[in-house]
């Protein structure tokens, strides 16, 4: 089934110990859409400026991504500059220019209104709620957020969480949102805020899913054990930017490609998330995600299994 | 087969967010021996003072541990006081009194000289080498170390590493030893120092094993994929002290209980390491490790599998 992602399409200037990339195509929705495109049809809602040319749009179109929801506005696209020189695991933001994103009001093409799989990437929770409200057919909704919204827009964010089947955030964000330094207790508190599941991304250590009582059909009130998926130990992380969004794209894309969301499907989706994240960081920007061979994805999935399974 | 561990038997005073324990039985060899005792026979080489009574010795003997190698010296036992109030993941040392450990020269009972499985817990690498040298029958030797020996006794430590089948250390120690912040590159550098395998413990994120070319029989020169074992997400860590030593005890105890060390056996040993670590932190000191039911261990092993396996 087609999935819809709403989020940023941007240009990034990035420096890492491996080098530097100027104004490469980035943004949460871009990484997400490219990663998900290997599993299912993808629609995008975003806004770009005049610096986003047909050449950039072709990067998405070549992967079959439906770009009719990308609004072209006067001015410049969202721009971010970051450095991983001081800390290879956490970006230091050097510059953020919201540009056309500053006054973004999502416009939803009529053709998108039958969307059943909706992903609310990291944007203002007011916009996340607005898009969700306008997707009456949505039957599986997941989302992401970040420190800024957790700290300064908490009430709006809580409004979003209540409608989510899954929230995907990293360790630090989970502990900040729950105001609890123990991951298990933080997860319980977050699930009590509304999302039916929580996927916490641990970077190089993989990810852990925590499940509420109402995620799976026929699960009754049984508590369900968390699930841990590995990440691939890598000798070189060229550019960590977008790894989490690529994880989300692989995860949600795989979920949407399956008939039913069972515990087994959810677990495989976690593995595909890790797989797509591991590809994303091999090159700057979205370069690696633009041209993957489906066979490479299956081979890496097998590698993830071998890395973590007893037999 | 019986295993021999050389290391500290000590008293610990510990404060954590869960409470405080005064002078409970601790030390790397104690945690290791108790954890390993659920898998195989265990011998201990250590030194204790007059404050170590028959009541303390009975804690080990009740688990069938051979204590003939524990030397009783005039004076007080090794004492450590630490706090986890500031950082629940890393102990702040409040006090260290080496006491009888200061002039420790391992005395090896003749009955121990046929030892085939030797574990060199975290002590002066000069003593680790000395014990190894005096165990001519040793066919599998693993060991641990810590920042102090890595920083200030590097040459002596390098002498130990060359003789190890496996080195078990944590993330920070691995990166310090290799002088490399990337785990995969650090592992390669450490394997080049001599140990045939490296197990890096990540605390709440589990552990990763890296393999050299010569660990498994008939493996030829094939490079082998690392292996990741999970840790159990816990809502309360009562006392993290000794978790790493308990991991090592479960890991090495299981290895020694098997006829041959194959890749499959090594992977299961990693899981049993995580299992024993997860029990250790449930109570202060060694309380939980003193009275486990073998069935509890198997149940938790099954939980670790469910936590990490797709099917």
């Amino acid at each position: 089934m087609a999935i819809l992602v709403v989020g940023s399409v941007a240009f990034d200037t990035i420096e890492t110990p491996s080098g530097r990339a100027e104004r490469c195509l980035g943004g949460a929705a871009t990484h997400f859409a490219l990663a998900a495109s290997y599993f299912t049809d993808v629609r995008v809602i975003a806004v770009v400026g005049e610096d986003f040319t047909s050449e950039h749009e072709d990067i998405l179109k070549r992967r079959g991504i439906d770009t009719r929801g990308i609004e072209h506005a006067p001015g410049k696209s969202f721009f971010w500059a970051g450095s991983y020189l001081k800390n290879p695991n956490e970006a230091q933001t050097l510059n953020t220019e919201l540009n056309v994103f500053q006054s973004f009001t999502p416009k939803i093409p009529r053709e998108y209104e039958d969307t059943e799989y909706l992903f609310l990437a990291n944007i203002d929770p007011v916009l996340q709620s607005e898009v969700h409200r306008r997707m009456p057919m949505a039957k599986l909704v997941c989302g992401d957020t970040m420190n800024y919204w957790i700290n300064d827009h908490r009430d709006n964010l809580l409004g979003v969480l209540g409608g989510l089947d899954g929230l995907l955030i990293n360790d630090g964000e989970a502990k900040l949102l729950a105001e609890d330094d123990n991951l298990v207790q933080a997860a319980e508190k977050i699930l009590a805020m509304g999302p039916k599941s929580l996927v916490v991304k641990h970077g190089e250590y993989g990810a852990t899913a925590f499940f509420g009582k109402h995620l799976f059909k026929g699960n009754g009130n049984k508590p369900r054990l968390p699930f841990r998926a590995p990440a691939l130990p890598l000798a070189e992380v060229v550019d960590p930017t977008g790894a989490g969004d690529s994880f989300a794209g692989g995860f949600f894309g795989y979920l949407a490609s399956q008939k039913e969301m069972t515990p087994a499907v959810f677990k495989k989706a976690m593995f595909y998330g890790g797989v797509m994240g591991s590809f994303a960081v091999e090159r700057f920007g979205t370069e690696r995600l633009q041209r993957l061979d489906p066979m490479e994805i299956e081979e890496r999935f097998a590698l993830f299994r071998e890395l973590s399974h007893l037999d």
Side-chain angles (χ1 to χ4, degrees), chain A residues 3 31-32 35-36 119 143-144 168 201 242-254 269 273-274 276-277:
Chain A
I3 63 183
H31 282 97
F32 180 97
F119 192 84
D144 191 359
L168 285 77
K201 296 168 284 181
D245 303 312
S246 305
F247 179 101
F251 169 81
F252 202 65
Y254 179 77
M276 300 312 286

Side-chain angles (χ1 to χ4, degrees), chain A residues 106-125:
Chain A
K107 291 178 188 56
I108 298 170
R110 181 159 302 171
E111 298 88 344
Y112 284 13
E113 284 172 5
D114 63 350
T115 296
E116 295 184 4
Y117 291 85
L118 174 61
F119 192 84
L120 307 169
N122 169 33
I123 49 168
D124 186 335

Side-chain angles (χ1 to χ4, degrees), chain A residues 4-8 29 45-46 104 106 118-123 127-128 131:
Chain A
L4 169 61
V5 58
V6 54
S8 57
I45 291 181
F104 177 44
L118 174 61
F119 192 84
L120 307 169
N122 169 33
I123 49 168
L127 300 182
Q128 291 180 315
V131 172

Side-chain angles (χ1 to χ4, degrees), chain A residues 109-245:
Chain A
R110 181 159 302 171
E111 298 88 344
Y112 284 13
E113 284 172 5
D114 63 350
T115 296
E116 295 184 4
Y117 291 85
L118 174 61
F119 192 84
L120 307 169
N122 169 33
I123 49 168
D124 186 335
V126 170
L127 300 182
Q128 291 180 315
S129 288
E130 167 72 4
V131 172
H132 189 180
R133 193 182 59 75
R134 289 167 62 190
M135 292 289 159
M137 312 277 282
K139 66 174 194 183
L140 193 78
V141 185
C142 290
D144 191 359
T145 191
M146 68 180 290
N147 293 1
Y148 173 67
W149 310 115
I150 296 170
N151 280 326
D152 296 348
H153 298 253
R154 196 175 180 88
D155 285 347
N156 293 339
L157 180 62
L158 291 176
V160 175
L161 297 186
L164 293 185
D165 295 289
L167 174 67
L168 285 77
I169 50 182
N170 67 33
D171 267 272
E173 290 157 355
K175 289 170 182 175
L176 183 71
L177 176 58
E179 297 176 319
D180 195 315
D181 273 345
N182 176 284
L183 185 65
V184 177
Q185 291 185 18
E188 276 173 25
K189 289 179 187 173
I190 291 170
L191 290 174
M193 296 174 191
K196 296 197 185 102
S197 69
L198 170 70
V199 175
V200 183
K201 296 168 284 181
H202 311 307
E204 64 172 315
Y205 301 119
T208 308
F210 296 90
F211 304 104
K213 286 177 185 162
H214 307 294
L215 183 66
F216 302 112
K217 275 184 201 160
N219 193 44
N221 277 330
K222 275 186 298 180
R224 180 165 281 280
L225 196 69
F227 183 70
R228 285 223 152 148
L232 190 66
L234 291 167
E236 189 186 4
V237 172
V238 172
D239 174 15
T241 313
D245 303 312

Side-chain angles (χ1 to χ4, degrees), chain A residues 263-310:
Chain A
V265 164
F266 196 103
K267 290 175 184 182
K268 277 188 85 171
M270 297 268 296
F271 269 58
Y272 278 114
V275 163
M276 300 312 286
S278 76
F279 282 123
V281 303
E282 288 182 352
R283 299 278 184 283
F284 275 99
T286 58
E287 197 187 322
R288 190 71 176 97
L289 294 182
Q290 291 175 30
R291 45 194 119 251
L292 277 165
D293 186 317
M295 191 59 92
E296 288 179 292
I297 295 174
E298 289 315 306
E299 280 170 9
R300 188 153 297 181
F301 182 89
L303 211 64
F304 269 64
R305 181 190 275 269
E306 201 184 330
L307 183 74
S308 58
H309 281 47
L310 291 170

